[in-house]
Amino acid sequence: MLTAGAPAQNWAGNVTFDAARLHRPASHDALRRIVSVARKVRVLGSGHSFNLIAATDGDLVRVDGLPPVFELDRERATVTVAAGMRYAEVAAALHAEGFALANMASLPHISVAGSVATGTHGSGDRRPGLAAAVSAVKLIAPGGEELTLSREADPERFPGAVVSLGALGVVTELTLDIEPAFEVAQWVYRGVPMTVVAERFDEVFGAAYSVSTFTGWHAGDGGGVPGTVVLKRRTDEAGGRDHPGREWMGGRPADGPWHPVPGMPAEFCTVQGGVPGPWHERLPHFRPEFTPSRGEELQSELFLPRAAAPQAIAALTELGEQVAPVLLVSEIRTMAADGQWLSPCHGRDSVAFHFTWRKDPEAVLPVLAEVEDRLMPLGARPHWGKITTRVPATVAACYERMPDFRRLAAEIDPYGIFRNEFVSALLE
């Protein structure tokens, strides 16, 4: 399907795409024809990016209209899926076959290809970002040619092929590592002092398979900054079914279902209260059948070396009076190091500080600049799909393998067909 001059917006509505043409091909042949004649091509996934990473004045392509793919390989413990599938679809199909992904993002609504291309992640001390589960990528390269890059066959180039910012081609299929299905129970603890989170960081984030800490960075009644810690424990691991206790790290269990964004219905969230359930119905924060959050928001995220977490928490506490008025909620998560060249967790165990801001750019951007001024010297890397006040050269300098990625992009796409202003500023 081709709609000429059709506008499209991202999920938050803060970006309107003014591409010359918007395509939603129904076949791989149609997609190859589009790419073979296009001057510029970018791909629009589920639209959950908050910046201009998908923007183009050429041809904008959606791949969620391509034929469905779900090919399970039990012997190799992999599944090959269509790039436009959302994690909720993949997870439900996997679970029905008795398998699981090791981790999921907080939103199951996002597309697989868009998520891994921008370095999206879940949480867990021993779990890297979602891109680490990808073992092969099939894409349409310049001229409409098909190209497959895999961990096994292309060990030299593959580390640049997954977190690729859409700069290598239109991804059509991905192969993911899987494991046997498991159950998870999650508990929510309110009123955990952020001073305790900082002082006992390893203990807090090592307390479950997946851990998240939420805060508004504003002082509570006692003067300190309170946080809410969400513990997601695998029931097949030691202590996974045990209740953490009526008091934990200075906090107490939530007295009912809880939503991290103030004012949003708690029924939008996955089941809490320690009730065991399938992995894909507990690891995400939000249920796929509901709108995940406000939509009327902006998001930013900074990835730091894990060891910098206490310093970062102290810096954000000092900025609390500036941050809190324009913030809906902030989340802290941890990830293991991975080998993808442009992964925000490349080469180092990481901690991510996520900010869900009010949709007021004039008020938010000066505050975000202050936050980045404090955290960038600690080694922060901005999320590829969210807003930042840093210039492209500063962001590119955060990645020691950026020169390798530039060479890979030039090799596969020498004429820059898959670039836009966002990508060109990083690569040129």
Side-chain angles (χ1 to χ4, degrees), residues 116-117 119 131-132 134-137 149-165 168 338-347 384 399-402 404-406 408-409 412:
V116 300
V134 180
S135 62
V137 177
L149 297 168
S150 73
R151 187 192 297 153
E152 182 176 351
D154 302 280
E156 298 301 320
R157 299 192 297 173
F158 187 70
V162 184
V163 185
S164 64
L165 316 183
L168 304 183
D338 65 45
Q340 280 288 318
W341 294 341
L342 296 192
S343 167
C345 303
H346 175 262
W384 292 117
Y399 294 86
E400 57 266 31
R401 301 301 297 271
M402 180 63 80
D404 296 304
F405 183 77
R406 289 180 177 131
L408 177 63
I412 294 176

Side-chain angles (χ1 to χ4, degrees), residues 82-315:
M85 289 182 72
R86 301 185 181 228
Y87 269 97
E89 301 172 86
V90 173
L94 270 180
H95 187 73
E97 296 288 343
F99 288 95
L101 299 170
N103 210 349
M104 291 184 71
S106 60
L107 300 175
H109 311 69
I110 52 181
S111 68
V112 177
S115 301
V116 300
T118 54
T120 300
H121 59 95
S123 186
D125 279 359
R126 300 188 303 277
R127 273 149 292 285
L130 302 181
V134 180
S135 62
V137 177
K138 181 182 286 188
L139 53 82
I140 305 298
E145 300 297 321
E146 283 194 344
L147 174 65
T148 299
L149 297 168
S150 73
R151 187 192 297 153
E152 182 176 351
D154 302 280
E156 298 301 320
R157 299 192 297 173
F158 187 70
V162 184
V163 185
S164 64
L165 316 183
L168 304 183
V170 181
V171 176
T172 58
E173 296 178 12
L174 300 107
T175 301
L176 310 175
D177 298 332
I178 58 176
E179 62 183 76
F182 54 90
E183 285 195 334
V184 173
Q186 64 174 326
W187 287 267
V188 176
Y189 278 82
R190 307 295 310 278
V192 178
M194 292 304 296
T195 52
V196 173
V197 174
E199 293 166 2
R200 303 173 68 178
F201 191 84
D202 289 344
E203 191 175 351
V204 170
F205 281 86
Y209 183 81
S210 174
V211 178
S212 293
T213 295
F214 294 88
T215 183
W217 298 112
H218 52 75
D221 295 338
V225 173
T228 297
V229 180
V230 180
L231 305 174
K232 300 173 187 273
R233 290 181 167 177
R234 282 184 63 148
T235 59
D236 60 347
E237 294 183 340
R241 292 181 179 272
D242 297 341
H243 194 295
R246 295 304 303 170
E247 292 189 7
W248 184 81
M249 298 290 172
R252 296 184 64 81
D255 56 8
W258 170 82
H259 194 294
V261 179
M264 292 297 291
E267 58 264 29
F268 289 9
C269 297
T270 52
V271 176
Q272 302 160 8
V275 180
W279 58 279
H280 65 297
E281 296 179 1
R282 297 294 184 275
L283 288 179
H285 295 326
F286 305 106
R287 296 164 62 180
E289 62 267 33
F290 292 106
T291 301
S293 188
R294 287 183 179 271
E296 289 293 317
E297 64 191 46
L298 301 172
Q299 291 185 10
S300 64
E301 188 167 28
L302 296 164
F303 297 74
L304 284 76
R306 182 191 173 96
Q311 292 171 271
I313 292 172

